[in-house]
Amino acid sequence: TGTGRVLAVFADRVARGSGIDNNVDMLKVARHNLAGRGHDHLTVRQGDLNVTPLEPAVADLVTLHQVLHYLEDPYEAILEASRLLMPDGTLLIVDFETHTQDSFREEYNHRRLGFTDEDIRAWGQNAGLSFGQVDSVIADDKSRPNVKIWQLKKLMQSKSLEASA
């Protein structure tokens, strides 16, 4: 959830939105930023993005915005996002593309120096998602890495898979 900015961006496009963050201080910031803006349909709560306090198949959109590079195992977050998605739901991942700014590890505590399309494609496929559109945001400042936006879709389960589950 961070500052709640992504929730605010989608506020007029969603009937209900929920943000999860493990940092109590960031939740305070998000609540403050969302308060008094007619966003009563948006909530934020504390939780682990790898094991969210939400039921399966509750979302038609899940976003992972600038978080995967902090994680020990980004695939776990993608797997959890897939669990939350309804069939044909969308996962939007916004993060850095692979870069060589090793200083980001020390300065910003990044565990990973970005991701390739193949990283996201493989994790998505293993989580039951199809790889879709990819957009790039090219950094104006060469000392900053480029950002990518990956769109993945939750695959519809076949009746034979549902029957065997």
Side-chain angles (χ1 to χ4, degrees):
T1 292
T3 65
R5 178 71 180 131
V6 173
L7 280 170
V9 165
F10 285 102
D12 65 344
R13 297 176 185 97
V14 300
R16 186 180 62 177
S18 183
I20 309 294
D21 202 303
N22 66 352
N23 185 316
V24 174
D25 291 330
M26 290 311 298
L27 289 170
K28 288 177 187 175
V29 171
R31 286 186 183 110
H32 173 78
N33 289 341
L34 296 171
R37 292 184 169 80
H39 298 325
D40 296 338
H41 62 301
L42 305 177
T43 61
V44 297
R45 60 178 126 171
Q46 188 172 10
D48 181 341
L49 82 122
N50 291 330
V51 187
T52 63
L54 301 170
E55 296 297 318
V58 295
D60 54 9
L61 173 67
V62 173
T63 62
L64 294 172
H65 183 262
Q66 291 290 358
V67 69
L68 293 183
H69 58 263
Y70 289 111
L71 303 178
E72 182 71 33
D73 187 357
Y75 171 65
E76 290 297 320
I78 293 170
L79 192 61
E80 178 65 2
S82 178
R83 184 188 74 82
L84 298 176
L85 285 172
M86 295 178 201
D88 205 38
T90 300
L91 171 60
L92 286 179
I93 299 174
V94 180
D95 217 308
F96 296 117
E97 73 177 340
T98 302
H99 61 89
T100 59
Q101 302 290 338
D102 199 50
S103 62
F104 278 41
R105 293 183 193 276
E106 289 183 27
E107 291 177 43
Y108 307 111
N109 295 318
H110 290 196
R111 290 190 175 173
R112 296 180 176 258
L113 298 179
F115 304 93
T116 66
D117 292 347
E118 190 50 44
D119 292 332
I120 303 301
R121 180 189 327 270
W123 289 328
Q125 286 176 340
N126 288 337
L129 303 167
S130 64
F131 192 74
Q133 184 174 335
V134 179
D135 291 302
S136 295
V137 179
I138 307 303
D140 291 335
D141 179 352
K142 295 300 177 195
S143 69
R144 305 290 300 174
N146 296 330
V147 171
K148 285 209 146 169
I149 304 167
W150 293 276
Q151 180 180 343
L152 299 99
K153 286 287 213 180
K154 177 74 172 196
L155 299 172
M156 305 287 279
Q157 285 188 324
S158 71
K159 293 193 184 284
S160 62
L161 286 176
E162 291 173 356
S164 66

